[in-house]
Amino acid sequence: EKGYEVQAILGINRTKGDQLHYLVHYKSPTIFDDNMELIPSTIAKQYCEDELIQFYETRIAWNDRQTD
């Protein structure tokens, strides 16, 4: 939304109102010292869909139990 290019999504947080916010790491340069910002999920879904998919894909835990 601000024109920054997203490098990766690093984390997720739920606020008191149950709204999700993502910790986004931007590619340089930005106005933020650490190039990171919490953004609402509605904005993340709109502007960095590929990074959201990558965030969840790296955190999937498959159940590989064998059944008899």
Side-chain angles (χ1 to χ4, degrees):
E1 184 175 57
K2 297 176 184 177
Y4 302 136
E5 191 174 351
V6 175
Q7 182 171 337
I9 296 177
L10 304 177
I12 188 169
N13 188 12
R14 185 180 303 267
T15 61
K16 291 180 183 177
D18 282 342
Q19 184 177 6
L20 296 177
H21 284 76
Y22 291 96
L23 179 61
V24 175
H25 184 250
Y26 297 113
K27 294 181 181 176
S28 296
T30 65
I31 60 170
F32 309 107
D33 291 335
D34 54 6
N35 294 331
M36 290 187 274
E37 175 184 32
L38 276 173
I39 62 171
S41 62
T42 54
I43 301 298
K45 289 176 191 174
Q46 187 175 4
Y47 291 99
C48 49
E49 186 176 299
D50 291 339
E51 290 82 0
L52 280 174
I53 292 169
Q54 185 177 5
F55 174 78
Y56 285 109
E57 282 181 342
T58 59
R59 285 155 180 81
I60 291 175
W62 297 102
N63 183 356
D64 290 334
R65 286 187 293 166
Q66 302 238 345
T67 56
D68 293 332

